[in-house]
Amino acid sequence: MTGGLTLVGVGPGDPSLLTLAAVEAIRQAEVVAYPVGRPGADSMTAKIAAAWIRSDHQRLPLLFPMVEAAEPRRTAWGAAAQELQQAVRSGQQVALLCEGDASLFASCSYVLLALRQAWPDCPISVIPGITSCSAAAAAGLWPLALQQDQLLLRPCPDTPEELERVLDTAAATGQVLALLKLGRRWSWVQPLLKQRGLLQQALFAERVGWPDQQICCADAVAADPRPYFSLLLIRQGWPEVLP
């Protein structure tokens, strides 16, 4: 008997942002899997979906180490894929919770690739979730893209020189920037944006969707390192046709 696996995007933190499809996938699952950064640690995704995880659900924490080295991550993805494959082959319906959107900078995407390589016919479906940049823009009443705008969504550059190039290209091509994983880089990003006169045109967001979220104009945030889950939305111009 073969079960099935559903990758479930559970939004950026606020449980009320789960889609109806996400809630239904969790409800129908027998096994609820979720990532943890280390053995025994809490899972952010499990906290978000806690209202729909029942006592009769089998919980399956999967280790996704938060490290930069490649090999520990590859090993973890392979081990997670094996555990999920075992559960599905045993006939169980499995929901793998993914923070934000399940296809955008998502650790579960690597497990999806590993599992499809090992078992091409594995019954898998993916339920999209709300991205942190979409939720931040909505909370900040900040239009992400208008008319012929381009939207570039990427991790924040690692150096001032690279960010300068990204900003120059964005200004020349009408790109709106969504820079994720801002974190400790904010200590040098903030002065750079101040020098270019962009702080008042940028939206800063931190821990989007959580009770302690901070969403504000970037000029209100001091140039100190910020948590990993922080982002920046930058607009350097507006379309010609506006109200």
Side-chain angles (χ1 to χ4, degrees), residues 116-196:
R116 293 196 69 188
Q117 183 178 31
W119 184 12
D121 296 327
C122 178
I124 305 177
S125 59
V126 179
I127 296 175
I130 294 174
T131 67
S132 58
C133 60
S134 294
L141 305 180
W142 204 93
L144 267 179
L146 296 166
Q147 299 170 29
Q148 300 303 310
D149 283 343
Q150 301 176 37
L151 176 63
L152 176 61
L153 196 158
R154 55 158 294 168
C156 181
D158 288 324
T159 66
E161 294 76 17
E162 185 183 0
L163 179 55
E164 291 271 17
R165 291 193 294 270
V166 170
L167 289 168
D168 288 342
T169 300
T173 59
Q175 287 180 342
V176 179
L177 298 176
L179 303 181
L180 309 183
K181 307 175 185 179
L182 187 61
R184 64 184 185 277
R185 300 174 183 86
W186 181 242
S187 59
W188 59 261
V189 170
Q190 196 263 20
L192 190 155
L193 295 182
K194 184 176 181 179
Q195 182 180 5
R196 294 180 66 126

Side-chain angles (χ1 to χ4, degrees), residues 59-80:
R59 293 173 175 248
L60 180 60
L62 300 172
L63 180 62
F64 290 174
M66 299 291 289
V67 297
E68 294 185 2
E71 197 52 42
R73 289 182 290 152
R74 287 196 189 102
T75 300
W77 299 332

Side-chain angles (χ1 to χ4, degrees), residues 175-228:
Q175 287 180 342
V176 179
L177 298 176
L179 303 181
L180 309 183
K181 307 175 185 179
L182 187 61
R184 64 184 185 277
R185 300 174 183 86
W186 181 242
S187 59
W188 59 261
V189 170
Q190 196 263 20
L192 190 155
L193 295 182
K194 184 176 181 179
Q195 182 180 5
R196 294 180 66 126
L198 294 176
L199 281 179
Q200 292 185 340
Q201 303 173 54
L203 185 74
F204 177 91
E206 178 178 295
R207 289 183 57 80
V208 178
W210 294 91
D212 58 345
Q213 77 172 11
Q214 181 179 359
I215 298 176
C216 61
C217 183
D219 67 354
V221 184
D224 300 318
R226 307 306 304 178
Y228 176 80

